[in-house]
Amino acid sequence: MTLSVVLPNYNGGKQLGTALQALLTQERPADEILVVDDGSTDDSVSVVERFAASSDTLGLIATARNEGVIAALARGLAQASGDYVYLAAADDWVLPGFFRLALARLEVNPELGLFCGEVLLIDAARGQASGVRPVVRPLSRPGSVGPEEAVGLLRRSDNWIVTGGAVFRRSHLERAGGFDERLGSFADGFTARKIALQDGFYFEPRLVATWSIDKTSVSRRRALDPVAAADALRSLPAALAADPAFPSWYPEIFANRWRF
């Protein structure tokens, strides 16, 4: 079974080298790493080319203009060939043993749609650890969660899957419809939840990756923008209600959690 990594990047040249080094030195390396440069104006392309010069698995897909993260993901996924997919980020990095563990778990649980573990939050300004996600574990020890169990979990919490700490089975990702650009920063959360409800997932209470939190980033500023939050409260519950994979009671619960 093969693993593809898709890494969207926009002006992430300062952190990109760390992310690529961590990906390339995994015990079970990815079969291909596709960096989708989304119209960067910094030195991102030269960083990728420097690493690619000594790697047979690293490739660059460059766009002339910035089209956004979801569009970059879609472009990378369209060219990826792996049976499994990991969605990386320029400012985050994977921890040793992640891919080996994820693929081992998925290969002995062929019915499950994804593997997920825990991620360590890093305060980008201070370079220090600031927490662990998910806050609420779906399980206290390693194990699989079937679709019916996932429905039950939704009633008490729903943030058990952090994309940076998840490996998706490609066929299940495609069956879920990929990522909807209209959902913005919630597109990956929507699809991960949908896969969990349709196919189940495997959870490992172990740190597998890092998540760099930068208060000045576009995603963080948008998350703290009242106007953007109000827009999300209108659009996201409607998208959940329109998809039969989600229980009819979930959109209201999701909206209440989002407000909180």
Side-chain angles (χ1 to χ4, degrees):
M1 306 299 283
T2 53
L3 170 66
S4 296
V5 173
V6 177
L7 193 163
N9 171 73
Y10 176 66
N11 288 344
K14 290 183 179 180
Q15 305 88 8
L16 187 55
T18 301
L20 291 176
Q21 182 67 23
L23 290 168
L24 289 166
T25 54
Q26 283 285 292
E27 295 174 55
R28 194 292 187 193
D31 297 278
E32 64 177 357
I33 301 172
L34 301 176
V35 179
V36 185
D37 188 76
D38 195 22
S40 291
T41 57
D42 66 355
D43 65 342
S44 292
V45 170
S46 63
V47 171
V48 178
E49 290 175 340
R50 186 171 71 250
F51 277 87
S54 58
S55 171
D56 296 330
T57 59
L58 178 58
L60 173 66
I61 304 169
T63 61
R65 60 186 180 87
N66 181 252
E67 299 177 352
V69 175
I70 304 304
L73 275 178
R75 190 181 296 271
L77 287 170
Q79 295 196 32
S81 60
D83 302 295
Y84 301 106
V85 178
Y86 175 67
L87 308 176
D91 53 353
D92 304 329
W93 61 93
V94 293
L95 296 176
F98 177 19
F99 292 163
R100 175 184 55 79
L101 174 64
L103 268 62
R105 298 302 196 198
L106 288 172
E107 287 179 7
V108 297
N109 294 279
E111 76 285 359
L112 301 180
L114 62 91
F115 166 95
C116 58
E118 296 181 319
V119 300
L120 180 67
L121 300 185
I122 302 292
D123 185 322
R126 297 182 300 162
Q128 297 178 349
S130 60
V132 174
R133 293 292 183 274
V135 174
V136 180
R137 288 172 166 175
L139 297 172
S140 59
R141 56 187 177 182
S144 60
V145 176
E148 291 185 5
E149 294 174 275
V151 172
L153 285 174
L154 274 186
R155 291 191 178 275
R156 65 179 179 89
S157 68
D158 58 2
N159 284 318
W160 349 282
I161 302 168
V162 181
T163 303
V167 171
F168 295 86
R169 199 180 298 274
R170 181 190 178 92
S171 58
H172 293 59
L173 178 59
E174 292 176 343
R175 188 161 71 89
F179 301 102
D180 189 340
E181 192 170 358
R182 295 171 298 178
L183 299 180
S185 61
F186 184 64
D188 58 336
F190 181 95
T191 300
R193 287 168 171 81
K194 183 172 180 177
I195 292 173
L197 291 171
Q198 289 182 330
D199 309 302
F201 64 98
Y202 194 99
F203 177 74
E204 188 92 19
R206 165 180 164 179
L207 291 173
V208 297
T210 68
W211 180 5
S212 181
I213 305 298
D214 186 348
K215 293 181 180 179
T216 65
S217 69
V218 174
S219 60
R220 178 57 59 175
R221 292 201 305 270
R222 180 174 174 79
L224 299 175
D225 182 353
V227 175
D231 180 61
L233 276 172
R234 288 190 295 270
S235 61
L236 297 182
L240 293 167
D243 195 311
F246 295 92
S248 59
W249 45 262
Y250 179 57
E252 182 178 357
I253 290 179
F254 173 85
N256 288 337
R257 290 170 181 167
W258 187 274
R259 290 188 187 94
F260 176 79

